[in-house]
Amino acid sequence: MDNAVALTHTMPDALPTTFTGRIQAMPLRSKLSFGIGVAALAAVILAMTMWSSHGDYKVLYANLSDKDGGAVIAQLSQMNVPYRMAEGGGAILVPAAQVHDLRLKLATAGLPKGAISGFELMDSARFGQTQFQERLTFQRGLEGELMRSISSLAAVASARVHLALPNQNGFFREQQKPSASVLLTLHPGRTLDRAQIAGIVHLVSASVPEMSPKAVSVLDQSGALLTGAGEGAQAGLDAQQLQYVAQIEAGYTKRIHELLEPIVGADNLRATVAADVDFSQTEATSEEFKPNQGADATIAIRSQQTSEQGAGSAGALPSGVPGAASNQPPVAATAPLTGASQPLQGAPLSGAVGPSGRREAVTNYEVDKTVRVTKNASGNVKRLNAAVVVNNRTVVDPRGKSTQVPLSSEEIEKLTTLVRESIGFNKERGDSVKVINAPFKVDPVATVDAPFWKSPELIDLVRAAALPTGLAIVALLVFFGLVRPAVKTAFAAPRALPRSTRIDAVVGDEQTLEALPAPAYLRQLEGAKAMAKENPAAVAGIVRGWVGGQTA
């Protein structure tokens, strides 16, 4: 039959094509698994986000005073370490992996210092306390006040004061005097001069009745006694003098290194300088008198006094032994500038025999005077001893092999000349410079190969990555165990066939036939396929029943 036959069959709806529709079409068990997996995955992601933003914080210090807490926070800010304050401000929290390291670093910086209690201890006196307890509380308060005062000095980081206050008893003839000991912790690079040490001694002695300054001992953190360092000639050098000598020696050593390192290399030179410094001080006072002698000398009269006294009557007759000497008239009186005065010429007068019986003249002259006060400066270098060791010269042959070659005598002499000029060599002062050439011995460094899994870097890395790695593993398990199977099941469902299928066949004419309904077995087949994909266990049970001869 020559006509076109068009067969069109309409299929029923198989499964929804949207994701929401497919989720709704899933069985209840798959829906529960999908919901639990999504919720667990969201919880893991939230936990990882919170951990990455806050991290694991632990207590660094708790119950600190406001002053110590502020100092610790300021130090943490300088070190760029994140921190948090606990609720109520009673504790400082830092990342757990840095707690121990931060405690050691803060302890090196002297933090926290701790609260020092002074006379406020007397405010909390208990009722019924004994006299011994009251005296002990007063002593603790006095020690605390002294520690506060001493710690306020710029060079002092902290201080400890120990007072020995004996009991005063009127029945003892000799009362024991109080004494004190002060332990100072100085800031790095700081020192105390003698005036500051004396100030601390007098501060402590003046705070305790009947305490002598000699009964106060002051020590530094190294255990060196600061008081009495300058008593006597056998006391040795104090801290400032030792520091001055070290600076002089370091300066000369630096000069040698800066001059010789470009020639022999930084690793081929060792130098040291010993300086003998004189810290004794001498003071001399001298007076010099310049005599006014000679024709060119300038004579300055300071005062002059003349006294004349007459004898009475002008006609007095001369008396005495007759002769030529008594008949000569007296000459004019002269007085030399220096030496004893010459006696007056002429016969002595007995009584009033002339117009002038007595004459006195007193003249005082200025005398030049020079006063010189000479004070020698302390810290003069008395002698310098320099010792320099130079390594052998490295020579590389054309084959690239390096060998050590000793320096020649001319090179040693040139280096010695350079060292002498660099330190200001003075032969009259007794300076000595010695430059020798010797091969340097390099000891091999023994390295202990520890297992890589015991290295601190790996342990810290594992500790830091343990929590995020665990959360990531849990997220992967949740995703592949719960979420992915449900999503795969939803997306693996077969798509619905077109609602109608048109079949055109040419039979012998151009007539188009109406579409025929789809057979019933096709609908049953599609339903069975969908059921087998959604619930394979049930389908397997049905097939097993069929094989066993059971009927539905």
Side-chain angles (χ1 to χ4, degrees):
M1 192 172 177
D2 298 335
N3 51 354
V5 180
L7 299 178
T8 305
H9 62 278
T10 304
M11 295 291 294
D13 295 338
L15 286 176
T17 57
T18 61
F19 179 75
T20 305
R22 294 188 179 187
I23 293 298
Q24 294 177 357
M26 291 170 58
L28 181 60
R29 182 178 179 182
S30 298
K31 289 181 179 180
L32 291 176
S33 300
F34 182 75
I36 294 173
V38 171
L41 187 60
V44 171
I45 294 175
L46 180 61
M48 294 182 66
T49 304
M50 295 180 63
W51 179 86
S52 61
S53 60
H54 298 286
D56 186 13
Y57 279 73
K58 288 187 178 181
V59 177
L60 179 64
Y61 293 111
N63 300 324
L64 293 177
S65 62
D66 296 339
K67 184 177 180 180
D68 287 342
V72 170
I73 290 176
Q75 188 69 21
L76 292 178
S77 300
Q78 292 181 359
M79 298 167 62
N80 296 326
V81 176
Y83 64 90
R84 291 190 301 172
M85 299 296 298
E87 295 183 2
I92 301 177
L93 306 179
V94 295
Q98 304 180 14
V99 171
H100 301 290
D101 294 339
L102 290 177
R103 286 179 180 174
L104 294 177
K105 292 179 180 179
L106 292 175
T108 304
L111 295 175
K113 296 182 179 179
I116 300 176
S117 300
F119 281 129
E120 60 268 14
L121 293 175
M122 305 296 295
D123 299 335
S124 59
R126 297 176 298 174
F127 179 75
Q129 64 180 357
T130 62
Q131 184 180 4
F132 173 76
Q133 293 176 344
E134 183 178 359
R135 186 172 64 252
L136 183 60
T137 304
F138 172 77
Q139 180 176 345
R140 290 178 55 195
L142 182 58
E143 291 175 352
E145 294 294 336
L146 290 174
M147 284 189 287
R148 288 176 178 175
S149 301
I150 297 174
S151 299
S152 62
L153 297 177
V156 179
S158 62
R160 292 290 304 274
V161 178
H162 304 278
L163 298 178
L165 304 179
N167 295 330
Q168 300 297 332
N169 194 336
F171 296 98
F172 295 159
R173 291 183 178 179
E174 295 182 0
Q175 301 291 340
Q176 187 176 2
K177 300 299 182 180
S179 59
S181 299
V182 181
L183 177 61
L184 302 178
T185 302
L186 305 180
H187 289 290
R190 299 288 187 89
T191 57
L192 294 176
D193 54 13
R194 295 182 179 179
Q196 291 175 322
I197 297 173
I200 294 174
V201 170
H202 286 280
L203 172 66
V204 177
S205 62
S207 301
V208 181
E210 299 183 1
M211 178 180 288
S212 174
K214 296 181 179 179
V216 180
S217 301
V218 181
L219 292 82
D220 60 2
Q221 67 268 24
S222 62
L225 183 63
L226 301 181
T227 55
E231 298 178 358
Q234 303 297 328
L237 302 181
D238 58 7
Q240 286 189 338
Q241 293 174 349
L242 292 175
Q243 184 179 3
Y244 178 73
V245 173
Q247 290 178 355
I248 291 179
E249 295 176 350
Y252 285 119
T253 305
K254 184 179 179 181
R255 292 182 185 179
I256 296 175
H257 279 276
E258 290 179 351
L259 191 61
L260 299 186
E261 280 182 357
I263 301 176
V264 299
D267 297 333
N268 298 325
L269 176 67
R270 298 293 185 272
T272 180
V273 177
D276 185 7
V277 183
D278 184 14
F279 289 98
S280 61
Q281 294 182 355
T282 58
E283 183 175 353
T285 303
S286 61
E287 295 184 2
E288 297 179 0
F289 296 91
K290 183 178 180 182
N292 295 321
Q293 295 179 356
D296 298 332
T298 303
I299 302 174
I301 299 176
R302 182 174 59 181
S303 62
Q304 186 176 11
Q305 183 179 0
T306 303
S307 176
E308 294 183 0
Q309 186 177 359
S313 162
L317 297 176
S319 61
V321 179
S326 60
N327 292 329
Q328 295 293 331
V331 297
T334 58
L337 294 178
T338 59
S341 60
Q342 298 179 1
L344 297 176
Q345 298 180 1
L349 298 178
S350 177
V353 295
S356 178
R358 183 179 182 183
R359 179 182 297 173
E360 294 181 358
V362 178
T363 305
N364 296 324
Y365 299 93
E366 292 290 351
V367 180
D368 294 341
K369 178 181 179 181
T370 303
V371 180
R372 290 188 177 90
V373 178
T374 305
K375 184 177 181 180
N376 295 333
S378 62
N380 296 325
V381 179
K382 296 174 59 178
R383 185 180 179 184
L384 289 177
N385 298 325
V388 181
V389 181
V390 182
N391 192 14
N392 291 339
R393 185 175 63 254
T394 303
V395 178
V396 181
D397 57 6
R399 299 181 180 180
K401 184 179 179 181
S402 60
T403 56
Q404 298 289 333
V405 178
L407 300 180
S408 61
S409 58
E410 291 79 6
E411 294 175 338
I412 296 296
E413 184 63 28
K414 292 180 180 179
L415 295 179
T416 304
T417 304
L418 291 177
V419 174
R420 289 178 178 177
E421 295 297 329
S422 64
I423 66 173
F425 180 81
N426 189 354
K427 186 177 181 181
E428 289 75 11
R429 193 172 55 184
D431 297 348
S432 65
V433 175
K434 188 66 175 179
V435 179
I436 64 173
N437 174 222
F440 286 5
K441 181 180 179 182
V442 180
D443 295 332
V445 180
T447 58
V448 179
D449 296 333
F452 74 96
W453 52 272
K454 287 186 178 181
S455 60
E457 295 80 6
L458 182 60
I459 294 175
D460 295 339
L461 181 62
V462 171
R463 288 178 179 176
L467 183 59
T469 303
L471 293 176
I473 292 174
V474 172
L476 292 176
L477 292 177
V478 169
F479 179 77
F480 287 102
L482 298 176
V483 179
R484 187 173 180 273
V487 175
K488 185 177 181 181
T489 301
F491 279 94
R495 295 183 177 274
L497 296 176
R499 297 184 62 87
S500 60
T501 304
R502 184 179 181 87
I503 303 177
D504 296 336
V506 178
V507 179
D509 55 6
E510 297 180 358
Q511 183 181 1
T512 303
L513 302 179
E514 297 293 336
L516 298 177
Y521 72 91
L522 293 178
R523 295 196 299 271
Q524 296 176 356
L525 182 60
E526 294 296 334
K529 289 181 179 180
M531 183 177 178
K533 290 184 178 182
E534 294 178 359
N535 199 349
V539 174
I542 294 174
V543 174
R544 193 181 299 109
W546 289 349
V547 174
Q550 299 178 1
T551 59

